[in-house]
Amino acid sequence: MIPKSMKAVVVRNHGDASSLSFESDFPTPPLQPNHVLVKNDLAGLNFIDTYFRSGLYKKELPFVAGQEGAGKVAAISPEAAECGICVGDDVVYMATDAY
């Protein structure tokens, strides 16, 4: 079962590093077609994240910081299942909203 909320580092306002906010009850995104949901064990913040956080690169607020992560697949779409991906698989990925 997918929890209704998750832990995340969220940017609600553009600014410096103080605009990063750890939230323990951020809504879990819904599972989309052709996607999986991953329970992160690791997540990365990189220099490009400073551009999004500062507003130099545009991104709708609020957003979850991070561009990469690693963990276990927690939920799969039917399309992902057809590709052989299973709940519990270890994965690494590059995508937005990782942290």
Side-chain angles (χ1 to χ4, degrees):
M1 180 164 182
I2 301 169
K4 293 181 192 253
S5 63
M6 63 182 193
K7 297 175 185 172
V9 174
V10 181
V11 177
R12 294 194 175 276
N13 299 293
H14 293 120
D16 62 16
S18 67
S19 65
L20 295 170
S21 170
F22 175 77
E23 298 183 15
S24 60
D25 60 350
F26 193 80
T28 303
L31 181 62
Q32 300 291 324
N34 298 303
H35 286 86
V36 301
L37 290 178
V38 176
K39 182 176 186 320
N40 281 342
D41 292 322
L42 303 167
L45 285 176
N46 296 295
F47 193 75
I48 194 169
D49 293 300
T50 65
Y51 293 154
F52 288 110
R53 186 195 70 223
S54 71
L56 181 63
Y57 288 4
K58 302 301 178 207
K59 188 167 185 175
E60 186 175 331
L61 295 170
F63 65 86
V64 176
Q67 302 285 320
E68 61 196 22
K72 292 196 178 293
V73 173
I76 56 173
S77 67
E79 300 86 356
E82 289 176 12
C83 293
I85 301 170
C86 299
V87 170
D89 284 354
D90 292 318
V91 294
V92 296
Y93 65 92
M94 290 184 66
T96 58
D97 307 330
Y99 208 110

